[in-house]
Amino acid sequence: MEKPILIIGGKGKTGSRVAERLHALNKPVRFASRSTGFDWTDRTTWATALQGACAAYITYYPDLAVRGAPDDIEALAKLAVSLGVKRLVLLSGRGEPEAQESEKRLIASGADWTIVRASWFNQNFDEGQFQPMILEGVIALPVSGVREPFIDADDIADVVVAALTDLRHIGELYEVTGPRLLTFAEAIAEISKASGREVVFQTISNEEFVEGLKAAEVPEDLAELLVELFTVVLDGRNEYLTDGVQRALGRSPKDFAGYVKDAAARGAWK
């Protein structure tokens, strides 16, 4: 019987898509999340998830940008290798010091590794934290003219599945972006036009952003992460395109306009 591929974070934006694609390939899949007993804050829960798997896709909660992530990734990778799970694919983030340190720890673990280093997801606007703001008609963030090459979660999932199922991707770091740089204001304008909703983008101060998160009762760990991403990572350091999707899949990534059209047609912002 073929051993399963472990997906850590199988209900997330990319994990769920990876699972769908593996099922379509008739690959056995095992999920690891809090609902199945896996907990990033409790290392005693990790071995049960890893035992008997042939490979693992690793997404870290809440994000590799948080303190302590490199230590956890190192410990998990070493445990996986010791249990015979050498094939590891890590979802990482661009321009995040803790994420890049996590990558180094994974590479040094002895695993047959692939790293997928992604820009901001398109799906943050319809499946993530920005959707409620869009539905309210105002999206206020502490960012102005910085441009981001938003990447589609479907493209990420395609790269991950290729890495999990094709040995040619071992030892590769794929930095994946969409094909176009957009400011958040430009992205919101495209969503507004396609959805027929009047959505206004506003630039606010860091202090106003923090107060808004507190008022919305956003969990402290998630609030700290969002502040880190907006005040540190979105400083222009990632304002460039990469060819990761093309190198991994031999095709271009999906454009933001195509994502917006499809999401609007599904009624994502109704």
Side-chain angles (χ1 to χ4, degrees):
M1 181 180 293
E2 189 174 0
K3 292 183 177 180
I5 295 174
L6 177 67
I7 301 177
I8 301 178
K11 293 183 179 179
K13 295 181 187 68
T14 63
S16 60
R17 287 169 165 83
V18 168
E20 290 173 359
R21 285 157 172 76
L22 290 174
H23 284 311
L25 294 172
N26 294 317
K27 298 290 185 181
V29 171
R30 178 190 298 164
F31 296 103
S33 64
R34 286 190 175 183
S35 64
T36 65
F38 180 93
D39 189 342
W40 275 113
T41 65
D42 182 0
R43 295 185 181 184
T44 64
T45 66
W46 298 358
T48 300
L50 289 162
Q51 195 79 47
C54 67
Y57 173 46
I58 305 169
T59 67
Y60 186 79
Y61 181 84
D63 190 275
L64 285 182
V66 303
R67 291 184 296 275
D71 291 340
D72 284 343
I73 294 300
E74 179 180 20
L76 181 93
K78 288 182 175 179
L79 176 61
V81 171
S82 73
L83 293 173
V85 189
K86 289 197 67 177
R87 189 76 191 94
L88 302 178
V89 178
L90 175 69
L91 177 66
S92 186
R94 303 173 81 217
E96 301 172 6
E98 297 294 313
Q100 267 74 87
E101 179 60 28
S102 297
E103 295 172 5
K104 293 177 183 177
R105 305 277 187 95
L106 179 72
I107 291 170
S109 69
D112 292 334
W113 57 271
T114 303
I115 293 165
V116 183
R117 185 190 290 168
S119 58
W120 284 64
F121 300 175
N122 293 343
Q123 280 71 20
N124 286 333
F125 292 101
D126 73 305
E127 298 177 21
Q129 61 268 36
F130 300 143
Q131 188 195 31
M133 300 181 193
I134 292 171
L135 295 178
E136 290 175 4
V138 178
I139 183 164
L141 300 171
V143 62
S144 55
V146 174
R147 298 178 300 165
E148 176 70 15
F150 298 101
I151 181 75
D152 201 86
D154 286 324
D155 285 333
I156 297 172
D158 286 344
V159 173
V160 169
V161 170
L164 288 168
T165 58
D166 190 333
L167 299 181
R168 292 177 297 178
H169 299 287
I170 290 175
E172 294 287 349
L173 191 161
Y174 295 117
E175 188 165 344
V176 294
T177 70
R180 187 160 52 107
L181 289 163
L182 289 165
T183 66
F184 276 79
E186 289 169 341
I188 292 301
E190 293 198 19
I191 290 172
S192 181
K193 182 178 179 180
S195 65
R197 299 182 67 91
E198 183 177 351
V199 187
V200 177
F201 177 82
Q202 295 179 353
T203 297
I204 58 175
S205 68
N206 294 334
E207 293 73 20
E208 289 173 313
F209 185 57
V210 171
E211 287 304 314
L213 294 175
K214 289 180 180 178
E217 299 182 344
V218 174
E220 186 175 351
D221 58 345
L222 180 56
E224 289 179 358
L225 168 63
L226 290 172
V227 171
E228 168 83 6
L229 293 177
F230 278 108
T231 60
V232 178
V233 178
L234 275 173
D235 61 357
R237 70 183 67 182
N238 295 324
E239 215 168 17
Y240 62 92
L241 304 176
T242 64
D243 64 350
V245 174
Q246 183 69 45
R247 286 199 301 115
L249 304 176
R251 64 165 176 80
S252 299
K254 186 174 186 175
D255 186 74
F256 189 79
Y259 151 74
V260 169
K261 180 181 178 181
D262 292 344
R266 292 196 311 271
W269 299 297
K270 285 186 178 180

